[in-house]
Amino acid sequence: MTQKKLYILLFICTIGSIGFISLLFAFTNKGPERDMSFKRGFLHDAPKKIHELDLEYNGYYIAGAYNNKIYLGNSQSPLYLITVDTTLDHKQEIRLAIDQDSLPLRSPQLRIIPPYFFLMDGTIPYILRGRTEDWKGYSMLENPFYFNQAQPIDSVTLAIRTISSKTKKFALGTIRFSDSTTLTLSHKLLKKQVDGIFDVDGTLQYNRQQQQLVYTYRYRNQYIVANDNLQTQLLGKTIDTISQTQIQVGTIVSKNQKKMSTPALMVNKSSSTSGNYLFVNSQILGKTESLILWEKSSVIDVYDIVNNRYEFSFYVENIGKNKLKTFYVMNDKFIGLIGNHMVIYQLGNRFKELQTPTVTVQNSNLIFQISKPKNNTGVPG
């Protein structure tokens, strides 16, 4: 077996192992971890649910949101998506057209930043890009760059997380499509504590207003804010005190694969960023919080990533036995998926000053020109 094929196999096996084990641990029936060292601040005028829609299917994920329109990808049928307005009254089905007869589907990801969309699978790999005016996608990837998370920065650049061929650990980087496809990796952003794979797992986001990457660790109380050049701008902390990843990693000798040998303590399940803020679905119970309320809802902690401070928290109610699965923040709207349902929470006037990106044309390529948000005074804790 050649070194290239061995690396590809290693990448696929590692990603598959992480996905399977994360799913297994997600269904492990464990009580919440309580951290007595912190107390959350909840507002009297907390964000309220204003809309709810039964999607009649739980395989959707949020592929993007822009200009009061929400785009939902379909994990089982990646060439199909639906759009819904933020009142959840108007729904439209769309089918993507691609420049290939068929696509191998393992871990497809659809990302939409009008006027462009990207359909990607970093485990095969391929990247298709097209315009939202006709929904026709065309192949972009010239070289086989592998990744397992990707977020568009602009029309020609993707932020990615991948396994470095140099270190065999996770690293953050960018893929840029210009005259040729260029991969740039940073081996400094993600900080290894145990193995450089499981311990640095997290969610990668791109904040268009601030023009910054935001990476929130899943198993420790930290997040990273970096610029487009992969330079650290801020090392932030969530309000709990779990700074050390609490996992144990073993090896399946027969398959030469690493695995988590015990269920890990999850700190931050998922996140989203918009304007000055980072929103985190925490899994850590605070000092005075009700266990009954915790079991009936999901808590969202809000951080100001400009002034580096915790702001406040709010609850998102379960629907039936289903908790918040994933979410997306667009200006003053919190968009959540819970089971088969989509919910919209109104965040309040403090978020209405956030501005959305605009696009201009330069040298025949659309380049995103980001409008900076107005200076916010922050929100009371």
Side-chain angles (χ1 to χ4, degrees):
M1 182 180 293
T2 65
Q3 184 176 4
K4 179 179 178 181
K5 289 183 178 179
L6 183 62
Y7 173 63
I8 294 171
L9 182 61
L10 173 64
F11 183 91
I12 294 173
C13 290
T14 301
I15 299 306
S17 298
I18 291 175
F20 174 76
I21 292 169
S22 297
L23 182 65
L24 181 64
F25 290 162
F27 286 96
T28 301
N29 187 19
K30 291 181 61 181
E33 179 81 10
R34 187 185 290 275
D35 187 337
M36 300 297 290
S37 65
F38 77 94
K39 181 179 179 180
R40 287 189 168 91
F42 294 92
L43 302 178
H44 294 295
D45 58 338
K48 302 295 184 182
K49 182 168 65 174
I50 57 175
H51 301 294
E52 181 179 331
L53 175 66
D54 186 352
L55 297 169
E56 301 177 350
Y57 174 65
N58 65 2
Y60 290 115
Y61 61 92
I62 303 171
Y66 180 78
N67 197 24
N68 295 322
K69 184 176 288 188
I70 305 162
Y71 300 90
L72 299 179
N74 188 318
S75 59
Q76 298 300 315
S77 302
L79 297 184
Y80 288 87
L81 69 144
I82 63 173
T83 67
V84 186
D85 69 344
T86 51
T87 66
L88 304 186
D89 289 331
H90 304 286
K91 184 168 68 172
Q92 178 187 5
E93 295 185 359
I94 296 172
R95 188 183 190 282
L96 303 180
I98 60 176
D99 64 346
Q100 302 180 31
D101 294 334
S102 63
L103 283 176
L105 304 175
R106 186 176 289 118
S107 301
Q109 303 176 48
L110 179 64
R111 297 289 181 264
I112 299 172
I113 47 170
Y116 280 102
F117 72 88
F118 293 83
L119 180 62
M120 306 166 285
D121 192 331
T123 64
I124 292 176
Y126 59 77
I127 297 173
L128 305 179
R129 187 189 69 176
R131 291 178 177 269
T132 56
E133 61 187 25
D134 58 14
W135 298 102
K136 295 180 179 179
Y138 301 91
S139 300
M140 297 286 292
L141 198 60
E142 298 174 352
N143 300 312
F145 296 139
Y146 295 86
F147 54 91
N148 72 336
Q149 286 194 44
Q151 294 289 347
I153 292 177
D154 55 42
S155 59
V156 295
T157 314
L158 296 174
I160 65 166
R161 189 186 73 178
T162 186
I163 294 178
S164 166
S165 59
K166 175 182 177 181
T167 65
K168 303 298 186 294
K169 313 297 181 187
F170 272 148
L172 299 183
T174 59
I175 299 176
R176 182 170 178 82
F177 309 99
S178 51
D179 294 335
S180 60
T181 305
T182 304
L183 172 66
T184 303
L185 288 184
S186 169
H187 297 97
K188 297 180 179 180
L189 287 174
L190 299 182
K191 301 299 184 181
K192 171 185 170 182
Q193 290 184 341
V194 181
D195 68 329
I197 296 291
F198 291 101
D199 65 321
V200 298
D201 191 23
T203 54
L204 174 64
Q205 307 287 334
Y206 186 72
N207 186 309
R208 306 198 181 287
Q209 292 81 17
Q210 301 299 331
Q211 296 179 264
Q212 292 176 322
L213 298 171
V214 183
Y215 189 86
T216 308
Y217 285 109
R218 198 176 307 277
Y219 300 113
R220 66 180 92 161
N221 68 341
Q222 297 171 2
Y223 59 87
I224 305 164
V225 180
N227 61 21
D228 294 355
N229 294 321
L230 305 175
Q231 298 170 326
T232 302
Q233 304 292 292
L234 170 68
L235 293 176
K237 291 186 177 181
T238 54
I239 56 176
D240 60 273
T241 60
I242 304 173
S243 59
Q244 184 67 34
T245 304
Q246 298 182 26
I247 66 172
Q248 294 181 7
V249 178
T251 302
I252 303 175
V253 178
S254 60
K255 297 181 180 180
N256 193 28
Q257 293 180 11
K258 289 185 177 181
K259 67 180 184 70
M260 252 193 256
S261 55
T262 58
L265 173 61
M266 184 178 293
V267 177
N268 304 309
K269 180 180 177 182
S270 56
S271 65
S272 181
T273 181
S274 180
N276 290 5
Y277 302 102
L278 171 66
F279 300 76
V280 179
N281 178 199
S282 173
Q283 302 296 287
I284 305 300
L285 191 63
K287 181 178 181 180
T288 61
E289 292 165 53
S290 165
L291 181 58
I292 295 175
L293 182 58
W294 182 271
E295 292 175 344
K296 293 181 178 180
S297 58
S298 299
V299 70
I300 304 295
D301 298 327
V302 183
Y303 300 89
D304 185 332
I305 59 174
V306 174
N307 297 301
N308 189 21
R309 66 191 183 198
Y310 165 71
E311 294 290 349
F312 66 95
S313 301
F314 64 96
Y315 288 113
V316 176
E317 297 177 354
N318 297 354
I319 297 179
K321 296 182 179 180
N322 297 306
K323 296 183 77 70
L324 181 69
K325 179 173 60 175
T326 186
F327 67 95
Y328 191 99
V329 177
M330 178 175 62
N331 297 343
D332 62 341
K333 300 291 192 301
F334 176 96
I335 306 159
L337 294 181
I338 305 173
N340 294 342
H341 292 249
M342 174 184 287
V343 296
I344 305 290
Y345 277 64
Q346 179 65 52
L347 292 175
N349 293 330
R350 63 181 64 85
F351 294 93
K352 286 188 175 180
E353 292 185 350
L354 303 181
Q355 298 195 21
T356 53
T358 58
V359 295
T360 57
V361 177
Q362 179 177 334
N363 296 331
S364 299
N365 286 320
L366 276 171
I367 303 297
F368 282 79
Q369 182 177 359
I370 311 298
S371 300
K372 287 285 187 179
K374 299 175 183 178
N375 291 329
N376 293 340
T377 57
V379 290

